[in-house]
Amino acid sequence: MDRRRFLTTAGAGVAGLVAGCSAEPTDDGSTDTDGGSTDTPESGGTTTGGDGTATADGTVTGTASGGTPLLRVGTYPSFVDAPSSSPGPWLKERFESEFDAELRWFAPENSMDYFLQRRQQGVSIDTDLFLGLAPENLVKADRAVGEGESLFTGVDTADLSNAGAIVDDYRFDPQERAIPVGASYISLVYNQNALDERGVAAPETFDDLASAPYENGMLVPNPQSSETGLEFMFWTIDQFGEDGYLDYWSDLMNNGTRILQDWGTAYDAYSNDEAPMVVSFSTDQVYADRYDQDMARHQVGFLNNSGYAYLEGAAPFTDTDNLGLATEFIDFVLQPEVQAEIAQRNVALPAVDNAELPDDYYDLVHEPEEIVSFGYDELMGNVEPWLSDWSRQIATQ
């Protein structure tokens, strides 16, 4: 019997509560600086705040209240409007209390693609920097704009007072345009109760997942539309190589693995007991503890003792006329106390090694013995063919 299924229905529910740990959108709108959902994806998103006005394409005109310098920061929607504890509103309030400036968020539903499309169309971006840039998105942007050009510009790391504390494994831009600001690890999240009912232990290897005891047991976000799913695909490429990862995915599909549209959809399906395992994040127990969930339903597993590093950076746009203030903002974000607060609110890990978090936080955060992560040079020129081959052979099954 053919058990290969693709589900494309969208979900909100539980995933919306824990959305801070993923750059993937979980709603249909974009967000303004006041934290309200304003628009559909077709409108591109609207920013409001201060005395400035905004058009539906995100172009900001005018100045902030009283002529205060205005910093326009792009990000992904859940960073500012997840219903749990998004860092965005806190970060805005804290930054404005320390600097003579207004911070205005702009969070289009399609995140980084929005800004890249505007650049390709020759339309002004009118945003100073982007916070939440993943390595594969940086590579995508560099390939799209062409050799010798860049969507982003670098900052002088000498102006970043805590740059020396950035975890080396989290650095992903050899040109130092994207400065690491947060991390997590792609992992399995599994329901121990459900596996106990099957009479099986948690899977320990990739091969376990494709074996009979775990038939119809796993949910995976679609790599075509999900950074979580894409980085899980990268993880399998690291494990099986370019010549073997598609065969492995075929084995997964033959074993009843279900591929859902995005991380939010997959996590909601998992929360509704549609399968005992889901590809998610190693910080899942932080969320579970915060909302007094049954921890047996939020167990974290690393396959082959490894986990793929899910990294986020902040990078100024090349066309910004506000590079000095953008640099000050990145310096502010890297401060140990700010990193600690962002990590807790975003259900993630800080990008610096001197952020002090509560002792019990690290009891809930799991880190793998081996960190897997493709660097900039490994991703450049490979993401598109890897994903194209996956789409042709797996998505069409």
Side-chain angles (χ1 to χ4, degrees):
M1 181 176 75
D2 188 354
R3 294 179 297 275
R4 302 165 185 168
R5 291 166 288 178
F6 264 65
L7 302 187
T8 57
T9 57
V14 176
L17 295 175
V18 70
C21 66
S22 171
E24 297 169 30
T26 57
D27 58 19
D28 291 331
S30 62
T31 304
D32 63 19
T33 76
D34 299 319
S37 180
T38 56
D39 295 289
T40 62
E42 289 77 15
S43 72
T46 300
T47 59
T48 62
D51 294 330
T53 60
T55 65
D57 62 7
T59 301
V60 180
T61 61
T63 59
S65 301
T68 302
L70 174 65
L71 183 69
R72 302 153 298 184
V73 182
T75 190
Y76 50 89
S78 65
F79 193 84
V80 293
D81 74 349
S84 52
S85 56
S86 293
W90 177 88
L91 198 60
K92 170 181 166 67
E93 181 179 356
R94 179 70 177 265
F95 180 73
E96 291 177 350
S97 73
E98 297 187 18
F99 292 83
D100 181 23
E102 178 182 328
L103 191 162
R104 185 172 300 165
W105 295 111
F106 178 53
E109 189 275 336
N110 57 348
S111 194
M112 257 304 303
D113 283 347
Y114 169 87
F115 300 100
L116 181 56
Q117 289 164 6
R118 289 182 68 82
R119 172 64 180 266
Q120 292 173 317
Q121 294 164 358
V123 181
S124 176
I125 290 176
D126 290 314
T127 304
D128 296 306
L129 74 153
F130 189 85
L131 188 153
L133 182 65
E136 57 268 23
N137 287 332
L138 176 64
V139 167
K140 180 179 180 180
D142 282 351
R143 286 181 56 80
V145 300
E147 187 174 354
E149 298 187 20
S150 178
L151 184 64
F152 302 101
T153 189
V155 300
D156 187 346
T157 55
D159 294 329
L160 304 177
S161 58
N162 203 32
I166 295 174
V167 178
D168 285 339
D169 285 330
Y170 296 166
R171 299 177 186 271
F172 60 88
D173 182 8
Q175 300 177 45
E176 293 190 322
R177 296 160 298 173
I179 305 299
V181 294
S184 185
Y185 295 99
I186 305 296
S187 69
L188 288 187
V189 170
Y190 62 90
N191 184 338
Q192 187 62 63
N193 296 332
L195 293 182
D196 288 346
E197 291 177 4
R198 289 179 174 228
V200 297
E204 295 183 354
T205 68
F206 282 95
D207 289 337
D208 285 345
L209 288 179
S211 65
Y214 304 98
E215 184 178 23
N216 299 325
M218 189 169 72
L219 306 171
V220 182
N222 191 337
Q224 297 169 305
S225 54
S226 158
E227 288 180 10
T228 313
L230 182 62
E231 294 192 356
F232 179 71
M233 187 190 78
F234 293 161
W235 193 8
T236 65
I237 294 171
D238 177 81
Q239 178 66 30
F240 296 99
E242 293 182 69
D243 296 330
Y245 80 103
L246 293 176
D247 289 338
Y248 176 70
W249 276 87
S250 292
D251 291 341
L252 286 179
M253 300 302 288
N254 287 331
N255 203 43
T257 292
R258 294 165 56 195
I259 299 178
L260 283 74
Q261 180 175 340
D262 53 30
W263 171 80
T265 310
Y267 198 89
D268 275 343
Y270 169 76
S271 300
N272 291 326
D273 296 322
E274 294 185 24
M277 299 177 290
V278 63
V279 172
S280 190
F281 298 92
S282 67
T283 50
D284 187 74
Q285 289 188 356
V286 175
Y287 152 76
D289 180 72
R290 182 175 298 167
Y291 292 98
D292 197 27
Q293 301 289 306
D294 179 3
M295 204 62 77
R297 298 170 60 90
H298 295 273
Q299 293 297 295
V300 172
F302 292 114
L303 301 172
N304 297 79
N305 296 316
S306 66
Y308 196 93
Y310 186 99
L311 307 175
E312 293 185 349
F317 287 109
T318 298
D319 295 334
T320 180
D321 57 1
N322 220 354
L323 182 59
L325 187 56
T327 302
E328 286 187 281
F329 175 74
I330 296 173
D331 180 63
F332 163 78
V333 168
L334 287 177
Q335 295 309 301
E337 63 276 13
V338 176
Q339 280 282 291
E341 188 70 25
I342 292 174
Q344 292 176 81
R345 290 174 178 267
N346 215 27
V347 195
L349 290 165
V352 298
D353 61 16
N354 59 352
E356 294 186 8
L357 289 159
D359 290 340
D360 60 354
Y361 193 84
Y362 282 110
D363 293 337
L364 300 168
V365 170
H366 298 264
E367 298 185 65
E369 292 181 18
E370 178 189 354
I371 296 174
V372 175
S373 182
F374 286 143
Y376 179 91
D377 292 335
E378 292 172 293
L379 293 174
M380 179 61 72
N382 285 320
V383 177
E384 292 89 344
W386 286 342
L387 188 56
S388 177
D389 290 345
W390 184 94
S391 302
R392 184 166 49 251
Q393 182 167 325
I394 304 302
T396 58
Q397 289 188 24

